[in-house]
Amino acid sequence: MNQANPLNTHLLSQPMSLIGAVITQATSSELLDQIEPDYILATEFLIVRNEQTTGAINSWEDMDFLKVIVPADKADIVFEEIYRLAKIDETEGAYIFQHSLTNCTDYQLPDLPPEGIPTETLDDMQLANELGLTETDIQNLKRLVENQA
């Protein structure tokens, strides 16, 4: 995620919405700076290639694909702001969508030494404690390993 407030456990217990928008390339950061930071839980943007809507053959253009996670009660406000700031109605190939998220979890990995930790640590709480890892740290590392498999 490129820009975000630290995820707040209180906010994570509330319903969340994802707002996605394809907008003019290299405008995501500037746009996000103009939105109330307390409304944004997490963001990500990347460059995508979008075909223009004019129907012209081979009229591809690089654009930003912006994704923003917000509390559901702020989603309409943020949606309208992105729509206005990105000039969705004036920009060829731009579009925006919004949908509810089933859940959103604060997922933080512990600080690990640059050389890593032995894999046995995931199954040995005594070794984990010796390395300064908590039970929550080990659970998060196990989830990461499961997701990578």
Side-chain angles (χ1 to χ4, degrees), residues 71-127:
D73 64 340
K74 303 296 183 199
D76 289 341
I77 295 167
V78 175
F79 183 96
E80 289 175 17
E81 281 295 291
I82 292 172
Y83 185 90
R84 183 182 61 79
L85 293 167
K87 299 179 181 174
I88 298 291
D89 59 337
E90 300 171 20
T91 305
E92 179 108 21
Y95 59 92
I96 188 168
F97 63 90
Q98 171 182 323
H99 69 84
S100 298
L101 294 176
T102 53
N103 52 25
C104 185
T105 304
D106 184 5
Y107 184 73
Q108 296 187 17
L109 295 176
D111 290 327
L112 299 174
E115 66 275 6
I117 60 170
T119 54
E120 303 82 47
T121 307
L122 298 177
D123 297 317
D124 185 343
M125 218 35 232
Q126 181 178 349
L127 179 56

Side-chain angles (χ1 to χ4, degrees), residues 8-33:
N8 176 319
T9 305
H10 170 70
L11 290 174
L12 292 174
S13 65
Q14 299 178 9
M16 301 289 144
S17 290
L18 170 69
I19 300 170
V22 174
I23 61 177
T24 303
Q25 184 180 6
T27 60
S28 292
S29 290
E30 183 180 313
L31 182 148
L32 289 168
D33 288 342

